[in-house]
Amino acid sequence: MAGARALLRHCPLLLPQNGHGTAYEGFVTAQGRDFHIRILLPVDLQLKNARIECSWHLKRILHGYRHILKQRLHSCPDLVSFMVELKTVLEIALKNTQDLHIPRPPEYYSCLIRDLEILGWNRVAYVDTGLTTVKLKAEDSCGRQHLITLKLNAKYPTEPPGCLVDFPVPFAVSWMPQNSLMDIYNQFLAALESLKEFWDALDEIDEQTWVLEPENPTRSATTRRIAIGNNVSVNVEVDPRHPNMLPECYFLGADHEVNPLRAKLNNNIHLWNPEVSLLQNLRELLEIDFPSRVVLEKSDFAKDCGICYAYRLDGSVPDQVCDDPRCGQPFHQACLYEWLQGLPTSRQSFNVIFGECPYCNK
């Protein structure tokens, strides 16, 4: 109830559409304007798997801020916190959209061209025709390619440009009126080096194991769901600021498969060594060798849902597995929930539903 009251206080025009709290529709208000929005949550109410639908006008305004909103979906603890973040981002986006229509004085263009020439055109990946958006490219010490998008307002260089980066942590620019694009670029390079160990750890996982999710991870993604065996995997959440520390691990699979893995992790946690790689630590704590990309194919682990017969459903993959050792059939959570709701023999306690496996009836 407290969460519902808080949502009503911050977004009085956004109302629940069902009793499960999985669908909300209405309007979000910013700068005195109302924008239509619809938010669909999975049955487990996890924000990171939410789907947001909105009007074409709002989508166009927020186009350059999509990766920021995705980060907020992953980091916000509840819907109220996300809506507060969404309103803040929308306020910034509206302000920057208005700035694009303010006529630039001649000094703006001469200053920008001078700054680009000092920076070097070889570092420029894109400039729009209005000279209001600039994308700069950089390579970190490990050869990874990165982009930073700069949105310049009419008061540049008195005011700093807005910066968009594919980072797992916020990127704040230190700016003085006498600064230039070179100062931002140097801060960008320093930030890249501060995230080197984090990207090294995830790159090793991506190269040496079978990652089931995300399918095409961005540089801001902090999670990896790693295949361990048939219908058994571990979801690893890595702290970008402390990538060598023990990450949060969540096992997915049948109880008889994952319980021994949980026990090994708890019993061996004292063996964690921050001097060796994250992947090597996981191997030693779990006492396993992760399936190799050289020997096996992803299809050996990517089993289709036993209800809809598809692997991906609205971006999610099967993560519920029958506990019976002779079955072990995986299902999408949404498919299984809908199936069990339709069975007269199923029962529900709070947000957990119990019923028979569609495959083996256990």
Side-chain angles (χ1 to χ4, degrees):
M1 289 297 293
R5 286 196 297 269
L7 184 62
L8 184 63
R9 183 171 66 253
H10 290 285
C11 299
L13 300 181
L14 186 67
L15 300 176
Q17 301 298 301
N18 58 30
H20 301 295
T22 59
Y24 292 83
E25 188 167 7
F27 297 88
V28 58
T29 303
Q31 293 192 4
R33 298 165 62 184
D34 296 331
F35 299 92
H36 181 258
I37 189 170
R38 188 166 182 246
I39 299 175
L40 302 174
L41 299 169
V43 292
D44 60 1
L45 304 182
Q46 291 292 312
L47 274 179
K48 63 182 181 180
N49 296 321
R51 190 167 83 247
I52 299 177
E53 300 173 353
C54 60
S55 63
W56 69 269
H57 185 51
L58 179 58
K59 186 179 294 186
R60 183 166 60 86
I61 293 172
L62 295 175
H63 177 73
Y65 301 82
R66 288 167 60 186
H67 77 285
I68 295 178
L69 294 176
K70 286 182 179 179
Q71 289 180 13
R72 298 299 184 265
L73 277 174
H74 277 74
S75 61
C76 288
D78 51 47
L79 183 58
V80 178
S81 302
F82 173 71
M83 290 306 299
V84 172
E85 296 272 9
L86 174 61
K87 291 179 71 172
T88 302
V89 172
L90 182 55
E91 292 276 358
I92 295 171
L94 287 170
K95 178 179 180 297
N96 290 338
T97 301
Q98 292 166 1
D99 286 342
L100 295 179
H101 302 292
I102 299 175
R104 265 65 168 165
E107 295 80 9
Y108 166 88
Y109 297 103
S110 60
C111 179
L112 177 58
I113 296 299
R114 183 196 67 217
D115 284 357
L116 288 172
E117 289 179 344
I118 293 174
L119 179 66
W121 289 99
N122 59 313
R123 295 171 173 169
V124 179
Y126 168 83
V127 180
D128 71 334
T129 55
L131 296 182
T132 58
T133 301
V134 178
K135 292 184 179 181
L136 305 178
K137 56 186 177 181
E139 187 176 283
D140 63 26
S141 58
C142 291
R144 289 177 286 248
Q145 300 293 322
H146 303 270
L147 287 175
I148 178 171
T149 301
L150 307 178
K151 301 280 188 179
L152 297 100
N153 61 44
K155 296 181 181 179
Y156 176 83
T158 305
E159 293 183 1
C163 301
L164 302 175
V165 292
D166 189 14
F167 282 2
V169 294
F171 176 65
V173 173
S174 176
W175 183 266
M176 298 290 287
Q178 64 269 24
N179 287 150
S180 68
L181 296 185
M182 180 63 80
D183 297 290
I184 292 182
Y185 192 79
N186 289 333
Q187 293 177 51
F188 181 53
L189 292 177
L192 292 180
E193 288 310 299
S194 71
L195 291 166
K196 174 185 178 299
E197 291 185 350
F198 168 74
W199 285 322
D200 285 347
L202 292 185
D203 280 354
E204 183 183 19
I205 290 175
D206 292 338
E207 292 165 4
Q208 298 190 23
T209 72
W210 279 114
V211 173
L212 303 180
E213 290 184 288
E215 194 170 28
N216 298 298
T218 62
R219 288 296 175 192
S220 60
T222 58
T223 62
R224 294 294 190 275
R225 182 180 169 193
I226 311 170
I228 295 178
N230 193 12
N231 299 329
V232 185
S233 59
V234 59
N235 197 72
V236 177
E237 175 84 34
V238 183
D239 184 346
R241 300 189 188 278
H242 306 283
N244 294 325
M245 303 304 291
L246 177 66
E248 182 178 338
C249 298
Y250 175 69
F251 294 96
L252 298 103
D255 287 345
H256 70 277
E257 295 277 6
V258 302
N259 285 342
L261 293 170
R262 290 195 189 102
K264 288 179 182 178
L265 181 63
N266 292 331
N267 293 336
N268 296 332
I269 199 169
H270 64 283
L271 299 176
W272 186 271
N273 182 4
E275 300 300 320
V276 302
S277 73
L278 170 64
L279 181 58
Q280 184 60 33
N281 269 308
L282 289 174
R283 288 188 181 116
E284 294 180 3
L285 265 65
L286 297 177
E287 300 175 12
I288 61 170
D289 283 325
F290 288 96
S292 170
R293 298 176 66 94
V294 177
V295 178
L296 298 169
E297 298 293 330
K298 189 173 184 179
S299 57
D300 294 322
F301 312 104
K303 303 299 183 183
D304 293 343
C305 170
I307 295 174
C308 72
Y309 301 108
Y311 182 62
R312 292 202 172 270
L313 178 67
D314 294 332
S316 65
V317 302
D319 60 359
Q320 303 295 311
V321 180
C322 176
D323 283 335
D324 191 292
R326 295 166 296 180
C327 179
Q329 175 64 42
F331 307 95
H332 292 116
Q333 181 167 297
C335 293
L336 190 58
Y337 184 77
E338 186 175 349
W339 175 279
L340 294 177
Q341 274 191 317
L343 295 180
T345 55
S346 298
R347 59 186 179 87
Q348 188 160 353
S349 175
F350 296 101
N351 63 338
V352 180
I353 191 167
F354 302 86
E356 297 175 351
C357 171
Y359 255 58
C360 68
N361 296 327
K362 296 294 185 182

